[in-house]
Amino acid sequence: MRALPCCADARRRRLRHSKVIESHRRLLIRLLDAVLPIEAIDTSVTGFAARYGFVEPARRACLRGDASILGAPVTGDCDVTWDIAALAALSPSSAGVDELLIVENQTSFLAAPSAPGRLVLWGAGYGADELLAALPWRGAVAVRYWGDIDTHGFVILAQVRAAAPHTTSVLMDIGTLLAHRTFWTQETSPRTDPLPALTEQESQACEALRNGRYGPRVRLEQEFIRYDLVLDVLLATDMPA
């Protein structure tokens, strides 16, 4: 009969996989902070890998646009995922890109209509500003942000505008909100941050949500906006640059 491995052998075998860090992260943080010299720890970051110098996967961005712009061997529009470094290296003038449309949710990313020269970027909520800030060419194209009509959506809009001051919002106004009353839900934890980067119209919409003008904690998620209105707005030829 085969002998059972001793406890020490069993422990060693359990450690022979790439889940060690994920399974013991809290313990490793305590150990590494205790034994590593202070200069080996990057205390300016919060992520485990960056803090201790481990390799991190490159951050990636989901894009939609004309295949000729994105280098795909197909015709028409396509979806791709690029490393941020690759997207940052894009030359918008050479590629024929003159607009970057940032959307908050995946469904809206898939539903956003195409237009000549438009790239659609899935911002995935908070962090959209970091994606945009990593693009040195952001000032050379029109930047538009389409998010949920709630306090969090306006906070993200303000953050995006901090990275690109010329950003304009779309479908984030009182008229759009009131036209979809039957689809309103409630925010769990509304934001109260001061948002000086918003325009007067955006500030009025945000304050109406904060002070409960139309009801407590009202929100309209962008997926509920009528698609004919989405097409009218996002395909308008006179959209502000």
Side-chain angles (χ1 to χ4, degrees):
M1 180 179 293
R2 183 179 179 182
L4 293 175
C6 69
C7 294
D9 287 340
R11 284 195 296 269
R12 282 195 293 270
R13 291 185 181 185
R14 285 198 298 270
L15 294 177
R16 293 173 184 170
H17 52 70
S18 60
K19 290 286 188 179
V20 173
I21 291 177
E22 294 179 32
S23 303
H24 305 280
R25 184 164 300 190
R26 291 185 180 180
L27 175 60
L28 287 171
I29 289 173
R30 294 174 62 187
L31 291 174
L32 292 172
D33 281 352
V35 302
L36 289 178
I38 189 63
E39 61 270 17
I41 303 173
D42 187 350
T43 57
S44 66
V45 297
T46 57
F48 180 90
R51 181 178 178 85
Y52 302 110
F54 291 103
V55 175
E56 289 188 287
R59 187 167 184 187
R60 301 174 72 80
C62 294
L63 300 163
R64 289 188 65 239
D66 190 275
S68 62
I69 294 175
L70 298 172
V74 294
T75 57
D77 289 338
C78 66
D79 301 349
V80 299
T81 303
W82 278 5
D83 288 350
I84 297 302
L87 182 57
L90 178 75
S91 170
S93 58
S94 300
V97 175
D98 56 23
E99 177 194 347
L100 187 64
L101 172 64
I102 305 172
V103 298
E104 184 174 338
N105 300 320
Q106 185 180 38
T107 299
S108 302
F109 167 75
L110 296 173
S114 61
R118 170 181 291 165
L119 281 184
V120 183
L121 171 65
W122 180 19
Y126 289 102
D129 57 325
E130 295 179 6
L131 288 175
L132 187 57
L135 308 180
W137 46 265
R138 61 190 181 278
V141 299
V143 177
R144 300 189 172 94
Y145 181 75
W146 176 25
D148 294 336
I149 305 179
D150 59 16
T151 61
H152 288 266
F154 283 109
V155 170
I156 298 171
L157 169 61
Q159 293 172 346
V160 167
R161 189 168 284 142
H166 62 297
T167 299
T168 58
S169 63
V170 293
L171 296 166
M172 296 182 69
D173 55 86
I174 291 295
T176 301
L177 177 69
L178 296 180
H180 297 81
R181 188 181 295 268
T182 56
F183 298 106
W184 292 357
T185 55
Q186 290 187 324
E187 286 191 282
T188 303
S189 54
R191 297 285 295 265
T192 59
D193 316 46
L195 302 174
L198 298 185
T199 66
E200 182 178 356
Q201 184 182 39
E202 293 160 355
S203 294
Q204 291 174 354
C206 188
E207 283 306 307
L209 297 174
R210 287 178 172 177
N211 63 31
R213 183 182 305 169
Y214 304 110
R217 306 193 310 278
V218 166
R219 73 183 305 225
L220 174 64
E221 296 173 273
Q222 61 185 146
E223 298 98 321
F224 289 110
I225 297 176
R226 294 195 332 264
Y227 194 57
D228 61 316
L229 180 59
V230 171
L231 293 178
D232 286 345
V233 172
L234 293 182
L235 293 180
T237 58
D238 57 348
M239 288 181 68

